[in-house]
Amino acid sequence: PTANTPTLGQADFLKLMTAQMTHQDPTSPMTNGEFLSQMAQFGTVNGIQGLQTSFANFATSMSSNQTLQAASLVGKTVSTSSNQGLLSAGGTINGNVALTGSSPDVAVQIIDPTTGSVIRNMDLGSQSAGTVPFSWDGKNNVGTPASPGVYQVQVQSLVNGVNTALTPNIQAQVASVSMGTQGVQVNLAGGLGSVNLSQVTQIQ
């Protein structure tokens, strides 16, 4: 192999085989079985290298297709698993939570990330198993509109007598998409960060 070809190619293999047969010990020549065995080994290695190349090309193609598909999400509203939501001026924060079983008490808390204080409690009451939607109108507990910005959203559910925290799915607008080391990333508007495309649970 040359400096530019670090792997053993077919031509290199045949040269080695010819040299081996030319300089073999006359008293112990290579048998047909040995020759066929070496040929089979080369064929296996060559086939694996071909498969690796094919899979690499396939993975690149899939990544490109995913990026193109994700690009169509720009400007649309999607739901992602998150504890944060963006409140726009006069807007709302919408989401849902998936219950694996019925609960006698489901509650949503809106928390100011700056102070850590709960500014709105929303009691959703008793709920059956399944997807439970909720919406915050942007007002605090005394009915005063909250300032636009990012707020934390916490969901509590009573399960078998134990108060359990659940991660909701929050609606957000897609600002852009990008290709990273973890795959296609969906960049959310309003400073909500990025999520993997696989974390998008719904497209509105």
Side-chain angles (χ1 to χ4, degrees):
T2 65
N4 295 328
T5 310
T7 57
L8 180 66
Q10 185 175 7
D12 299 314
F13 176 80
L14 292 176
K15 287 180 182 179
L16 288 173
M17 284 293 298
T18 301
Q20 184 178 2
M21 294 179 67
T22 302
H23 298 90
Q24 63 183 327
D25 185 355
T27 63
S28 181
M30 181 186 295
T31 65
N32 289 338
E34 291 174 328
F35 179 76
L36 291 175
S37 176
Q38 291 193 21
M39 288 295 291
Q41 290 176 9
F42 174 76
T44 300
V45 172
N46 200 38
I48 291 174
Q49 291 174 343
L51 283 174
Q52 289 175 334
T53 301
S54 297
F55 276 119
N57 292 337
F58 176 72
T60 300
S61 176
M62 288 293 291
S63 296
S64 298
N65 288 338
Q66 275 192 327
T67 304
L68 288 174
Q69 291 174 357
S72 65
L73 296 178
V74 175
K76 292 185 177 180
T77 299
V78 298
S79 290
T80 63
S81 178
S82 174
N83 287 111
Q84 289 188 322
L86 176 66
L87 179 69
S88 58
T92 60
I93 290 181
N94 302 306
N96 65 69
V97 62
L99 298 181
T100 56
S102 61
S103 172
D105 186 16
V106 179
V108 177
Q109 292 182 330
I110 306 298
I111 300 173
D112 187 328
T114 303
T115 64
S117 60
V118 177
I119 64 172
R120 181 68 181 270
N121 292 293
M122 296 187 295
D123 187 4
L124 304 184
S126 178
Q127 299 288 338
S128 301
T131 301
V132 179
F134 61 84
S135 179
W136 177 44
D137 59 7
K139 296 179 181 179
N140 60 24
N141 284 329
V142 296
T144 303
S147 300
V150 176
Y151 289 85
Q152 292 181 2
V153 181
Q154 291 187 358
V155 179
Q156 301 286 334
S157 174
L158 196 63
V159 179
N160 297 324
V162 179
N163 205 22
T164 306
L166 302 175
T167 301
N169 295 305
I170 305 295
Q171 293 181 9
Q173 190 175 50
V174 177
S176 63
V177 295
S178 58
M179 189 67 188
T181 56
Q182 302 299 319
V184 179
Q185 299 294 305
V186 177
N187 308 311
L188 305 176
L192 293 176
S194 302
V195 297
N196 193 277
L197 180 61
S198 63
Q199 292 178 270
V200 175
T201 58
Q202 189 176 17
I203 303 171
Q204 279 74 36

PDB file of all heavy atoms in Angstrom, residues 152-178:
ATOM      1  N   GLN A 152     -41.411  29.170  33.856  1.00  0.00           N
ATOM      2  CA  GLN A 152     -41.349  27.741  34.135  1.00  0.00           C
ATOM      3  C   GLN A 152     -42.761  27.199  34.331  1.00  0.00           C
ATOM      4  O   GLN A 152     -43.611  27.866  34.928  1.00  0.00           O
ATOM      5  CB  GLN A 152     -40.507  27.476  35.381  1.00  0.00           C
ATOM      6  CG  GLN A 152     -39.030  27.797  35.194  1.00  0.00           C
ATOM      7  CD  GLN A 152     -38.216  27.509  36.448  1.00  0.00           C
ATOM      8  OE1 GLN A 152     -38.749  27.029  37.447  1.00  0.00           O
ATOM      9  NE2 GLN A 152     -36.931  27.809  36.402  1.00  0.00           N
ATOM     10  N   VAL A 153     -42.975  25.990  33.829  1.00  0.00           N
ATOM     11  CA  VAL A 153     -44.283  25.342  33.937  1.00  0.00           C
ATOM     12  C   VAL A 153     -44.087  24.003  34.636  1.00  0.00           C
ATOM     13  O   VAL A 153     -43.344  23.143  34.161  1.00  0.00           O
ATOM     14  CB  VAL A 153     -44.919  25.124  32.549  1.00  0.00           C
ATOM     15  CG1 VAL A 153     -46.296  24.472  32.695  1.00  0.00           C
ATOM     16  CG2 VAL A 153     -45.012  26.428  31.774  1.00  0.00           C
ATOM     17  N   GLN A 154     -44.745  23.846  35.769  1.00  0.00           N
ATOM     18  CA  GLN A 154     -44.669  22.601  36.510  1.00  0.00           C
ATOM     19  C   GLN A 154     -46.053  21.971  36.625  1.00  0.00           C
ATOM     20  O   GLN A 154     -47.032  22.671  36.866  1.00  0.00           O
ATOM     21  CB  GLN A 154     -44.091  22.828  37.918  1.00  0.00           C
ATOM     22  CG  GLN A 154     -42.621  23.197  37.927  1.00  0.00           C
ATOM     23  CD  GLN A 154     -42.045  23.251  39.329  1.00  0.00           C
ATOM     24  OE1 GLN A 154     -42.755  23.052  40.310  1.00  0.00           O
ATOM     25  NE2 GLN A 154     -40.752  23.515  39.432  1.00  0.00           N
ATOM     26  N   VAL A 155     -46.103  20.657  36.434  1.00  0.00           N
ATOM     27  CA  VAL A 155     -47.368  19.926  36.538  1.00  0.00           C
ATOM     28  C   VAL A 155     -47.249  18.914  37.671  1.00  0.00           C
ATOM     29  O   VAL A 155     -46.273  18.152  37.742  1.00  0.00           O
ATOM     30  CB  VAL A 155     -47.711  19.206  35.214  1.00  0.00           C
ATOM     31  CG1 VAL A 155     -49.008  18.434  35.366  1.00  0.00           C
ATOM     32  CG2 VAL A 155     -47.820  20.211  34.076  1.00  0.00           C
ATOM     33  N   GLN A 156     -48.211  18.924  38.556  1.00  0.00           N
ATOM     34  CA  GLN A 156     -48.267  17.980  39.673  1.00  0.00           C
ATOM     35  C   GLN A 156     -49.523  17.126  39.527  1.00  0.00           C
ATOM     36  O   GLN A 156     -50.593  17.626  39.201  1.00  0.00           O
ATOM     37  CB  GLN A 156     -48.311  18.727  41.018  1.00  0.00           C
ATOM     38  CG  GLN A 156     -47.129  19.643  41.273  1.00  0.00           C
ATOM     39  CD  GLN A 156     -45.861  18.888  41.619  1.00  0.00           C
ATOM     40  OE1 GLN A 156     -45.913  17.774  42.133  1.00  0.00           O
ATOM     41  NE2 GLN A 156     -44.714  19.488  41.333  1.00  0.00           N
ATOM     42  N   SER A 157     -49.356  15.828  39.769  1.00  0.00           N
ATOM     43  CA  SER A 157     -50.486  14.909  39.670  1.00  0.00           C
ATOM     44  C   SER A 157     -50.489  13.983  40.881  1.00  0.00           C
ATOM     45  O   SER A 157     -49.437  13.470  41.285  1.00  0.00           O
ATOM     46  CB  SER A 157     -50.389  14.080  38.383  1.00  0.00           C
ATOM     47  OG  SER A 157     -51.391  13.087  38.341  1.00  0.00           O
ATOM     48  N   LEU A 158     -51.659  13.787  41.446  1.00  0.00           N
ATOM     49  CA  LEU A 158     -51.790  12.880  42.588  1.00  0.00           C
ATOM     50  C   LEU A 158     -51.942  11.459  42.055  1.00  0.00           C
ATOM     51  O   LEU A 158     -52.934  11.130  41.388  1.00  0.00           O
ATOM     52  CB  LEU A 158     -53.002  13.274  43.433  1.00  0.00           C
ATOM     53  CG  LEU A 158     -53.074  12.687  44.846  1.00  0.00           C
ATOM     54  CD1 LEU A 158     -51.887  13.171  45.688  1.00  0.00           C
ATOM     55  CD2 LEU A 158     -54.384  13.097  45.513  1.00  0.00           C
ATOM     56  N   VAL A 159     -50.945  10.630  42.322  1.00  0.00           N
ATOM     57  CA  VAL A 159     -50.939   9.245  41.838  1.00  0.00           C
ATOM     58  C   VAL A 159     -50.789   8.312  43.034  1.00  0.00           C
ATOM     59  O   VAL A 159     -49.767   8.352  43.733  1.00  0.00           O
ATOM     60  CB  VAL A 159     -49.790   9.003  40.832  1.00  0.00           C
ATOM     61  CG1 VAL A 159     -49.805   7.550  40.360  1.00  0.00           C
ATOM     62  CG2 VAL A 159     -49.901   9.960  39.654  1.00  0.00           C
ATOM     63  N   ASN A 160     -51.830   7.501  43.279  1.00  0.00           N
ATOM     64  CA  ASN A 160     -51.829   6.572  44.410  1.00  0.00           C
ATOM     65  C   ASN A 160     -51.526   7.282  45.726  1.00  0.00           C
ATOM     66  O   ASN A 160     -50.783   6.774  46.577  1.00  0.00           O
ATOM     67  CB  ASN A 160     -50.814   5.443  44.174  1.00  0.00           C
ATOM     68  CG  ASN A 160     -51.157   4.588  42.971  1.00  0.00           C
ATOM     69  OD1 ASN A 160     -52.331   4.331  42.692  1.00  0.00           O
ATOM     70  ND2 ASN A 160     -50.136   4.150  42.239  1.00  0.00           N
ATOM     71  N   GLY A 161     -52.081   8.465  45.860  1.00  0.00           N
ATOM     72  CA  GLY A 161     -51.906   9.227  47.091  1.00  0.00           C
ATOM     73  C   GLY A 161     -50.603   9.981  47.192  1.00  0.00           C
ATOM     74  O   GLY A 161     -50.345  10.652  48.194  1.00  0.00           O
ATOM     75  N   VAL A 162     -49.767   9.906  46.158  1.00  0.00           N
ATOM     76  CA  VAL A 162     -48.459  10.577  46.170  1.00  0.00           C
ATOM     77  C   VAL A 162     -48.453  11.694  45.133  1.00  0.00           C
ATOM     78  O   VAL A 162     -48.802  11.472  43.962  1.00  0.00           O
ATOM     79  CB  VAL A 162     -47.314   9.585  45.864  1.00  0.00           C
ATOM     80  CG1 VAL A 162     -45.973  10.310  45.854  1.00  0.00           C
ATOM     81  CG2 VAL A 162     -47.308   8.457  46.884  1.00  0.00           C
ATOM     82  N   ASN A 163     -48.053  12.891  45.535  1.00  0.00           N
ATOM     83  CA  ASN A 163     -47.967  14.017  44.618  1.00  0.00           C
ATOM     84  C   ASN A 163     -46.745  13.833  43.720  1.00  0.00           C
ATOM     85  O   ASN A 163     -45.605  13.795  44.201  1.00  0.00           O
ATOM     86  CB  ASN A 163     -47.863  15.330  45.402  1.00  0.00           C
ATOM     87  CG  ASN A 163     -48.359  16.506  44.601  1.00  0.00           C
ATOM     88  OD1 ASN A 163     -49.129  16.350  43.664  1.00  0.00           O
ATOM     89  ND2 ASN A 163     -47.922  17.696  44.968  1.00  0.00           N
ATOM     90  N   THR A 164     -46.970  13.707  42.425  1.00  0.00           N
ATOM     91  CA  THR A 164     -45.905  13.375  41.483  1.00  0.00           C
ATOM     92  C   THR A 164     -45.724  14.478  40.457  1.00  0.00           C
ATOM     93  O   THR A 164     -46.698  14.968  39.879  1.00  0.00           O
ATOM     94  CB  THR A 164     -46.223  12.050  40.758  1.00  0.00           C
ATOM     95  OG1 THR A 164     -46.469  11.031  41.743  1.00  0.00           O
ATOM     96  CG2 THR A 164     -45.070  11.634  39.860  1.00  0.00           C
ATOM     97  N   ALA A 165     -44.468  14.868  40.218  1.00  0.00           N
ATOM     98  CA  ALA A 165     -44.158  15.885  39.211  1.00  0.00           C
ATOM     99  C   ALA A 165     -44.115  15.235  37.828  1.00  0.00           C
ATOM    100  O   ALA A 165     -43.524  14.165  37.644  1.00  0.00           O
ATOM    101  CB  ALA A 165     -42.828  16.554  39.527  1.00  0.00           C
ATOM    102  N   LEU A 166     -44.737  15.883  36.858  1.00  0.00           N
ATOM    103  CA  LEU A 166     -44.760  15.392  35.485  1.00  0.00           C
ATOM    104  C   LEU A 166     -44.184  16.458  34.555  1.00  0.00           C
ATOM    105  O   LEU A 166     -44.337  17.656  34.804  1.00  0.00           O
ATOM    106  CB  LEU A 166     -46.185  15.054  35.060  1.00  0.00           C
ATOM    107  CG  LEU A 166     -46.943  14.024  35.895  1.00  0.00           C
ATOM    108  CD1 LEU A 166     -48.376  13.903  35.408  1.00  0.00           C
ATOM    109  CD2 LEU A 166     -46.243  12.663  35.828  1.00  0.00           C
ATOM    110  N   THR A 167     -43.522  16.020  33.496  1.00  0.00           N
ATOM    111  CA  THR A 167     -42.988  16.957  32.508  1.00  0.00           C
ATOM    112  C   THR A 167     -44.025  17.171  31.411  1.00  0.00           C
ATOM    113  O   THR A 167     -44.424  16.214  30.742  1.00  0.00           O
ATOM    114  CB  THR A 167     -41.685  16.433  31.878  1.00  0.00           C
ATOM    115  OG1 THR A 167     -40.719  16.219  32.908  1.00  0.00           O
ATOM    116  CG2 THR A 167     -41.130  17.442  30.882  1.00  0.00           C
ATOM    117  N   PRO A 168     -44.487  18.406  31.224  1.00  0.00           N
ATOM    118  CA  PRO A 168     -45.509  18.662  30.210  1.00  0.00           C
ATOM    119  C   PRO A 168     -44.919  18.811  28.818  1.00  0.00           C
ATOM    120  O   PRO A 168     -43.697  18.885  28.638  1.00  0.00           O
ATOM    121  CB  PRO A 168     -46.109  19.993  30.678  1.00  0.00           C
ATOM    122  CG  PRO A 168     -44.948  20.688  31.324  1.00  0.00           C
ATOM    123  CD  PRO A 168     -44.134  19.609  31.985  1.00  0.00           C
ATOM    124  N   ASN A 169     -45.790  18.844  27.828  1.00  0.00           N
ATOM    125  CA  ASN A 169     -45.428  19.200  26.460  1.00  0.00           C
ATOM    126  C   ASN A 169     -45.902  20.639  26.241  1.00  0.00           C
ATOM    127  O   ASN A 169     -47.086  20.930  26.394  1.00  0.00           O
ATOM    128  CB  ASN A 169     -46.094  18.264  25.451  1.00  0.00           C
ATOM    129  CG  ASN A 169     -45.604  16.834  25.585  1.00  0.00           C
ATOM    130  OD1 ASN A 169     -44.407  16.576  25.525  1.00  0.00           O
ATOM    131  ND2 ASN A 169     -46.522  15.903  25.779  1.00  0.00           N
ATOM    132  N   ILE A 170     -44.966  21.518  25.910  1.00  0.00           N
ATOM    133  CA  ILE A 170     -45.270  22.938  25.757  1.00  0.00           C
ATOM    134  C   ILE A 170     -45.172  23.348  24.295  1.00  0.00           C
ATOM    135  O   ILE A 170     -44.251  22.944  23.583  1.00  0.00           O
ATOM    136  CB  ILE A 170     -44.303  23.799  26.598  1.00  0.00           C
ATOM    137  CG1 ILE A 170     -44.332  23.367  28.062  1.00  0.00           C
ATOM    138  CG2 ILE A 170     -44.655  25.280  26.473  1.00  0.00           C
ATOM    139  CD1 ILE A 170     -45.652  23.587  28.749  1.00  0.00           C
ATOM    140  N   GLN A 171     -46.125  24.163  23.855  1.00  0.00           N
ATOM    141  CA  GLN A 171     -46.105  24.654  22.485  1.00  0.00           C
ATOM    142  C   GLN A 171     -45.094  25.787  22.331  1.00  0.00           C
ATOM    143  O   GLN A 171     -44.961  26.640  23.203  1.00  0.00           O
ATOM    144  CB  GLN A 171     -47.496  25.138  22.069  1.00  0.00           C
ATOM    145  CG  GLN A 171     -48.535  24.036  21.962  1.00  0.00           C
ATOM    146  CD  GLN A 171     -49.884  24.556  21.521  1.00  0.00           C
ATOM    147  OE1 GLN A 171     -50.022  25.705  21.132  1.00  0.00           O
ATOM    148  NE2 GLN A 171     -50.896  23.706  21.588  1.00  0.00           N
ATOM    149  N   ALA A 172     -44.359  25.770  21.224  1.00  0.00           N
ATOM    150  CA  ALA A 172     -43.369  26.809  20.935  1.00  0.00           C
ATOM    151  C   ALA A 172     -43.224  26.945  19.428  1.00  0.00           C
ATOM    152  O   ALA A 172     -43.516  26.013  18.675  1.00  0.00           O
ATOM    153  CB  ALA A 172     -42.027  26.466  21.567  1.00  0.00           C
ATOM    154  N   GLN A 173     -42.774  28.103  19.001  1.00  0.00           N
ATOM    155  CA  GLN A 173     -42.582  28.344  17.570  1.00  0.00           C
ATOM    156  C   GLN A 173     -41.158  27.995  17.177  1.00  0.00           C
ATOM    157  O   GLN A 173     -40.210  28.248  17.927  1.00  0.00           O
ATOM    158  CB  GLN A 173     -42.868  29.806  17.221  1.00  0.00           C
ATOM    159  CG  GLN A 173     -42.920  30.070  15.715  1.00  0.00           C
ATOM    160  CD  GLN A 173     -43.318  31.501  15.397  1.00  0.00           C
ATOM    161  OE1 GLN A 173     -42.753  32.436  15.934  1.00  0.00           O
ATOM    162  NE2 GLN A 173     -44.307  31.673  14.528  1.00  0.00           N
ATOM    163  N   VAL A 174     -41.000  27.409  16.007  1.00  0.00           N
ATOM    164  CA  VAL A 174     -39.687  27.015  15.501  1.00  0.00           C
ATOM    165  C   VAL A 174     -39.046  28.205  14.793  1.00  0.00           C
ATOM    166  O   VAL A 174     -39.612  28.767  13.862  1.00  0.00           O
ATOM    167  CB  VAL A 174     -39.796  25.819  14.539  1.00  0.00           C
ATOM    168  CG1 VAL A 174     -38.426  25.464  13.964  1.00  0.00           C
ATOM    169  CG2 VAL A 174     -40.409  24.617  15.246  1.00  0.00           C
ATOM    170  N   ALA A 175     -37.851  28.583  15.252  1.00  0.00           N
ATOM    171  CA  ALA A 175     -37.139  29.708  14.639  1.00  0.00           C
ATOM    172  C   ALA A 175     -36.228  29.239  13.506  1.00  0.00           C
ATOM    173  O   ALA A 175     -36.103  29.903  12.476  1.00  0.00           O
ATOM    174  CB  ALA A 175     -36.314  30.437  15.696  1.00  0.00           C
ATOM    175  N   SER A 176     -35.589  28.081  13.688  1.00  0.00           N
ATOM    176  CA  SER A 176     -34.681  27.551  12.672  1.00  0.00           C
ATOM    177  C   SER A 176     -34.362  26.103  13.005  1.00  0.00           C
ATOM    178  O   SER A 176     -34.736  25.591  14.068  1.00  0.00           O
ATOM    179  CB  SER A 176     -33.377  28.368  12.617  1.00  0.00           C
ATOM    180  OG  SER A 176     -32.679  28.271  13.846  1.00  0.00           O
ATOM    181  N   VAL A 177     -33.679  25.442  12.102  1.00  0.00           N
ATOM    182  CA  VAL A 177     -33.210  24.078  12.345  1.00  0.00           C
ATOM    183  C   VAL A 177     -31.731  24.016  11.992  1.00  0.00           C
ATOM    184  O   VAL A 177     -31.237  24.809  11.194  1.00  0.00           O
ATOM    185  CB  VAL A 177     -33.997  23.027  11.521  1.00  0.00           C
ATOM    186  CG1 VAL A 177     -35.449  22.984  11.945  1.00  0.00           C
ATOM    187  CG2 VAL A 177     -33.882  23.312  10.030  1.00  0.00           C
ATOM    188  N   SER A 178     -31.026  23.087  12.604  1.00  0.00           N
ATOM    189  CA  SER A 178     -29.602  22.943  12.330  1.00  0.00           C
ATOM    190  C   SER A 178     -29.200  21.482  12.480  1.00  0.00           C
ATOM    191  O   SER A 178     -29.911  20.688  13.097  1.00  0.00           O
ATOM    192  CB  SER A 178     -28.769  23.821  13.272  1.00  0.00           C
ATOM    193  OG  SER A 178     -29.041  23.494  14.631  1.00  0.00           O
TER     194      SER A 178
END
